[in-house]
Amino acid sequence: MADALSVIPSAVLRNLADKLYEKRKNAALEVEGIVKQLAAAGDHEKISAVINLLTTEFTYSPQANHRKGGLIGLAAATVGLTSEAAQHLEQIVPPVLNSFSDQDSRVRYYACEALYNIAKVVRGDFIIFFNQIFDALCKLSADSDANVQSAAHLLDRLVKDIVTESDQFSIEEFIPLLRERMNVLNPYVRQFLVGWITVLDSVPDIDMLGFLPDFLDGLFNMLSDSSHEIRQQADSALWEFLQEIKNSPSVDYGRMAEILVQRAASPDEFTRLTAITWINEFVKLGGDQLVPYYADILGAILPCISDKEEKIRVVARETNEELRAIKADPADGFDVGPILSIATRQLSSEWEATRIEALHWISTLLNRHRTEVLHFLNDIFDTLLKALSDPSDEVVLLVLEVHACIAKDLQHFRQLVVFLVHNFRVDNSLLEKRGALIVRRLCVLLDAERVYRELSTILEGEADLDFACTMVQALNLILLTSSELSELRDLLKKSLVNPAGKDLFVSLYASWCHSPMAIISLCLLAQTYHHASAVIQSLVEEDINVKFLVQLDKLIRLLETPIFAYLRLQLLEPGRYTWLLKALYGLLMLLPQQSAAFKILRTRLKTVPSFSFNGEQIKRTSSGNPYSQILHSMPSGSQFSEDGDVNSDVGSSHGGINFASRLQQFEQMQHQHRIHGKAQAQLRSSSTSSSKEVQRPQEQHRPPPSDISRPSSRSSRKAPGQLQL
């Protein structure tokens, strides 16, 4: 310090700390001249002493004017050193950088001015301090003083110029600092950062694209900034990087894919759109690099398919199709499990479009990687079954397609039907609302006969008799009304002449025994009219209840549909189809006379001709009951086993079907239902309170609530695919 005091006059030092700027400026010029002379003489020791004096006595002084003078002095000394300033930068720059955080805004301003002048002199040699300077400028860009901000911007532009022309800049050392600063929320700092990213990316020798994963998330974070200008700058920078990615042969897609997946779920609409656009390009360009990230990408795409913003939905759908079109091989590291897990999880999405696409994915995986998917069947099966209760018909149909694909194997087919029956048992609304839709679609996908045989086998041993009866009635109604089951009905019509039809009839019969009306319907469909009549005759008082009459009402109305046109035409030959008439008259006798069904059936039976055809001879009979006329017209000694066949000896078997055994089977099943019904009635009776027992006689005198044949009210009408049970 003594050397410095001997070199610099005391008056210069005094003026350097003066409160007037002009005096400090003149003193700085004196310092510049002194340093220039010392540099010319090569006396660097004294130069170091001068710099040390300016640092310790001035820039670190508690007096603001001293600090200002010290900063001007250091800049002047650098100017005096000119080309030899580089060897003294370790002394000059740190105290200037330290002044950037000074409490006095004027000191901070002079620090910017000083560093600007220093940078102009040393240019490229300045780069060794770049990280410290960048960090200081980052803070000054958000300075509370407008003059300081202005000075910092001038310095920032100069530093950018120096960096772009320098070959000593180290991007590897800079990126960690940039990554740390990208989390700052201050809008001025964000503008500063985006500006630097853009500038560095424009330098051909600096590979910013290779480090993009380090600051990509920060750029996406800026897309939701409240400032339109910042959003625009961030978007512009991202667009430039995306163009570079398209033209670059080597890109780290994996790390960036993780960031994009997270940003695709951003609450900000613009961020989601940009993220999904990037993902779309990555799917097209990424190739094998993205294989480990397919599941994560799918998890981002599926929710966006149902986004409220149309642009996002369009890009998401396109990306989804692109991703699904890629045929990855498990041998190349493609793991089915995570993708299947994502798709299954999205089945619980509140958005229908997302659930539909998730099912498309499961179906695609089944078709391409069936063996691998079946390894995870236990993980997804319950979710797929729950999806059958989805409010969307389209979702339910797709779920059924997936189930049908799984059920190609016998083991899984059996499992599917068992679980389906279980779901119907525990969820009555599912059977009522979706039963017809589910069963009909499965019959199309998996063969109607196979489905009905399996259902019948399961229901035959069903312990819950009430459910079994309801389920059989539902299946019977589907069988009688669905166009998808027309071939099954045709096969049943040949039960007496076709072994396959007979086998199907016997298979269904076992479970159809749960419902008297289902059995009667099955017999009418199979044209086993004699047996139908026997079943009707076997009914007892307990069997003919309100539920039975409701089902009978439906059957009578179904007899008037095109499905039973063959049966109505057979009534033209009353002599040949005696048992058909007897069965129909039996049903007529079970109906209340005031019901609409009674009137419908009686009207139909009145149209039966009062004559029978016997070869070319037409025998007219007397007026009266057609049934009695037919009996009178039968040849004496002749008996009918089934309509259409006149035999001299009636056996208990016809067409290979043991009807006596079938009737016994039906009666035994109905006996179980009667016992069950009585037990239920006793249980209800025992649980009824004494107050209700008093009210019961009054309730018995009330008129019936409605006629069973009255058309369904608006509240009871069912939508397509629903059953009214």
Side-chain angles (χ1 to χ4, degrees):
M1 185 178 294
D3 291 341
L5 291 173
S6 65
V7 172
I8 303 176
S10 58
V12 173
L13 294 175
R14 191 166 49 252
N15 288 337
L16 198 61
D18 198 275
K19 64 180 180 178
L20 295 176
Y21 172 74
E22 287 298 326
K23 287 186 177 183
R24 293 197 302 270
K25 182 179 178 181
N26 292 330
L29 291 173
E30 293 286 340
V31 171
E32 179 186 336
I34 293 170
V35 171
K36 188 177 292 185
Q37 292 175 2
L38 292 173
D43 194 350
H44 287 280
E45 288 187 9
K46 287 185 178 180
I47 294 173
S48 295
V50 169
I51 295 172
N52 187 48
L53 173 67
L54 293 173
T55 301
T56 55
E57 297 298 321
F58 286 86
T59 59
Y60 291 138
S61 169
Q63 300 298 321
N65 290 329
H66 280 67
R67 297 196 295 274
K68 296 173 188 176
L71 290 168
I72 297 176
L74 288 173
T78 306
V79 173
L81 285 167
T82 60
S83 61
E84 298 182 31
Q87 59 185 301
H88 295 282
L89 285 179
E90 292 286 351
Q91 279 183 285
I92 296 172
V93 173
V96 178
L97 292 175
N98 182 66
S99 299
F100 280 152
S101 56
D102 197 281
Q103 293 182 351
D104 192 324
S105 62
R106 295 304 297 168
V107 174
R108 296 196 301 273
Y109 176 85
Y110 283 116
C112 291
E113 184 183 70
L115 195 58
Y116 182 89
N117 291 324
I118 294 169
K120 283 178 66 176
V121 173
V122 298
R123 303 297 291 186
D125 295 327
F126 189 64
I127 294 298
I128 60 172
F129 297 100
F130 175 76
N131 276 15
Q132 296 96 306
I133 295 169
F134 178 87
D135 195 35
L137 286 174
C138 187
K139 295 172 183 176
L140 288 178
S141 64
D143 199 278
S144 57
D145 189 280
N147 291 324
V148 175
Q149 278 193 12
S150 178
H153 289 159
L154 288 173
L155 175 60
D156 180 51
R157 282 201 292 270
L158 176 61
V159 175
K160 285 175 181 174
D161 290 340
I162 294 172
V163 168
T164 55
E165 67 186 25
S166 172
D167 57 357
Q168 300 177 22
F169 177 75
S170 174
I171 185 67
E172 291 82 3
E173 294 179 7
F174 169 63
I175 287 298
L177 177 62
L178 177 63
R179 182 174 58 240
E180 180 184 345
R181 288 288 174 265
M182 291 299 287
N183 296 320
V184 176
L185 300 179
N186 186 282
Y188 296 107
V189 175
R190 283 184 162 182
Q191 281 185 308
F192 171 80
L193 294 171
V194 175
W196 267 101
I197 290 171
T198 304
V199 167
L200 293 176
D201 187 47
S202 67
V203 180
D205 295 333
I206 298 177
D207 181 24
M208 284 295 281
L209 185 60
F211 295 94
L212 181 57
D214 291 286
F215 56 87
L216 180 65
D217 190 57
L219 283 175
F220 267 94
N221 202 26
M222 294 180 190
L223 292 176
S224 58
D225 196 277
S226 57
S227 168
H228 174 73
E229 186 177 358
I230 294 175
R231 292 198 303 271
Q232 195 172 37
Q233 290 177 354
D235 181 51
S236 178
L238 285 168
W239 187 86
E240 289 293 339
F241 279 118
L242 188 57
Q243 303 315 304
E244 291 178 36
I245 289 171
K246 292 179 182 179
N247 300 319
S248 176
S250 177
V251 178
D252 184 1
Y253 290 101
R255 286 179 62 197
M256 289 189 284
E258 295 177 355
I259 297 168
L260 296 175
V261 165
Q262 295 176 356
R263 289 298 170 182
S266 169
D268 179 68
E269 182 181 298
F270 187 43
T271 304
R272 290 199 308 276
L273 177 59
T274 308
I276 203 70
T277 302
W278 273 61
I279 291 174
N280 180 270
E281 295 296 337
F282 275 29
V283 169
K284 295 175 182 176
L285 303 169
D288 295 340
Q289 284 193 51
L290 285 178
V291 169
Y293 303 96
Y294 277 177
D296 293 334
I297 291 173
L298 181 63
I301 293 171
L302 289 178
C304 289
I305 287 174
S306 303
D307 199 278
K308 61 182 180 180
E309 175 57 42
E310 184 180 0
K311 292 180 181 179
I312 297 176
R313 294 198 301 271
V314 170
V315 179
R317 286 190 177 279
E318 180 185 336
T319 310
N320 184 55
E321 295 302 323
E322 292 278 354
L323 188 63
R324 196 158 54 218
I326 300 174
K327 296 182 179 179
D329 191 341
D332 298 331
F334 176 70
D335 192 354
V336 172
I339 294 183
L340 193 62
S341 176
I342 289 290
T344 306
R345 193 183 312 146
Q346 291 298 330
L347 289 180
S348 59
S349 168
E350 61 178 312
W351 307 109
E352 178 183 348
T354 296
R355 300 196 299 274
I356 289 173
E357 290 305 320
L359 286 166
H360 281 309
W361 266 97
I362 296 174
S363 180
T364 300
L365 292 174
L366 269 170
N367 291 328
R368 293 180 186 171
H369 312 287
R370 179 178 179 82
T371 304
E372 289 81 0
V373 172
L374 292 182
H375 286 315
F376 299 96
L377 187 59
N378 291 335
D379 299 329
I380 66 173
F381 202 75
D382 286 345
T383 306
L384 288 172
L385 283 172
K386 291 177 182 176
L388 291 173
S389 303
D390 196 277
S392 165
D393 284 350
E394 187 175 356
V395 171
V396 172
L397 292 174
L398 284 172
V399 172
L400 291 172
E401 288 186 15
V402 172
H403 277 301
C405 190
I406 295 172
K408 288 179 181 177
D409 302 331
L410 181 61
Q411 170 194 353
H412 297 124
F413 172 75
R414 169 78 180 177
Q415 187 181 12
L416 167 63
V417 180
V418 168
F419 271 95
L420 192 59
V421 172
H422 171 74
N423 273 23
F424 284 149
R425 184 189 304 111
V426 298
D427 185 3
N428 290 330
S429 64
L430 178 63
L431 177 60
E432 181 179 353
K433 296 177 181 177
R434 288 288 168 73
L437 179 67
I438 293 171
V439 173
R440 288 166 58 187
R441 189 59 185 164
L442 279 182
C443 286
V444 172
L445 297 170
L446 292 173
D447 179 59
E449 182 177 351
R450 184 185 179 198
V451 172
Y452 260 71
R453 282 178 178 273
E454 190 64 38
L455 285 168
S456 180
T457 302
I458 295 170
L459 291 172
E460 181 182 356
E462 174 61 46
D464 187 343
L465 296 181
D466 290 335
F467 165 72
C469 181
T470 302
M471 184 73 187
V472 165
Q473 289 170 1
L475 292 174
N476 183 63
L477 187 60
I478 296 168
L479 175 63
L480 295 178
T481 58
S482 299
S483 58
E484 295 88 344
L485 276 70
S486 59
E487 293 183 5
L488 201 62
R489 290 195 294 271
D490 291 340
L491 185 59
L492 283 169
K493 290 175 185 176
K494 302 172 184 176
S495 297
L496 296 176
V497 295
N498 185 313
K502 176 210 74 171
D503 192 47
L504 177 60
F505 175 82
V506 173
S507 175
L508 297 184
Y509 194 100
S511 60
W512 258 237
C513 286
H514 283 292
S515 169
M517 197 47 57
I519 280 291
I520 295 170
S521 302
L522 182 65
C523 290
L524 294 179
L525 187 61
Q527 303 186 68
T528 56
Y529 302 134
H530 189 172
H531 188 65
S533 179
V535 168
I536 294 169
Q537 294 289 339
S538 71
L539 297 176
V540 298
E541 179 182 346
E542 290 92 333
D543 298 329
I544 306 170
N545 51 33
V546 174
K547 292 182 180 179
F548 173 86
L549 293 175
V550 169
Q551 294 297 316
L552 177 54
D553 179 274
K554 292 181 181 179
L555 176 59
I556 299 305
R557 296 175 188 276
L558 282 173
L559 291 177
E560 297 298 316
T561 63
I563 292 172
F564 283 103
Y566 71 93
L567 182 147
R568 299 196 299 276
L569 290 173
Q570 288 172 351
L571 293 176
L572 292 173
E573 301 179 78
R576 186 179 178 190
Y577 294 97
T578 310
W579 291 111
L580 170 58
L581 271 172
K582 186 171 182 180
L584 293 178
Y585 269 106
L587 295 177
L588 184 68
M589 297 308 162
L590 296 177
L591 285 166
Q593 291 189 43
Q594 299 304 316
S595 66
F598 178 87
K599 296 171 184 177
I600 292 171
L601 183 55
R602 184 179 63 177
T603 302
R604 174 60 63 185
L605 290 173
K606 282 183 178 180
T607 63
V608 175
S610 57
F611 50 78
S612 62
F613 297 95
N614 184 8
E616 296 180 359
Q617 182 182 9
I618 299 176
K619 298 182 179 179
R620 290 198 171 272
T621 56
S622 58
S623 60
N625 187 343
Y627 183 58
S628 63
Q629 296 164 6
I630 291 162
L631 294 179
H632 284 114
S633 66
M634 288 175 57
S636 60
S638 296
Q639 293 180 337
F640 284 72
S641 61
E642 278 298 343
D643 287 345
D645 275 337
V646 181
N647 299 316
S648 57
D649 182 27
V650 179
S652 61
S653 175
H654 183 80
I657 302 175
N658 189 334
F659 284 109
S661 175
R662 299 281 80 78
L663 183 60
Q664 186 179 8
Q665 184 181 15
F666 169 73
E667 290 175 340
Q668 289 174 350
M669 182 61 73
Q670 288 306 302
H671 180 66
Q672 293 181 28
H673 276 271
R674 293 185 204 110
I675 294 174
H676 174 72
K678 290 178 180 177
Q680 292 293 318
Q682 290 177 357
L683 185 63
R684 287 193 297 269
S685 176
S686 61
S687 62
T688 304
S689 62
S690 58
S691 60
K692 290 184 178 179
E693 290 178 356
V694 173
Q695 295 173 4
R696 189 181 303 157
Q698 300 174 358
E699 293 174 354
Q700 291 176 352
H701 292 291
R702 294 176 183 171
S706 63
D707 189 277
I708 61 167
S709 61
R710 187 176 62 188
S712 302
S713 66
R714 181 175 301 177
S715 62
S716 67
R717 291 173 187 166
K718 304 297 174 183
Q722 297 184 357
L723 295 173
Q724 184 176 348
L725 303 176

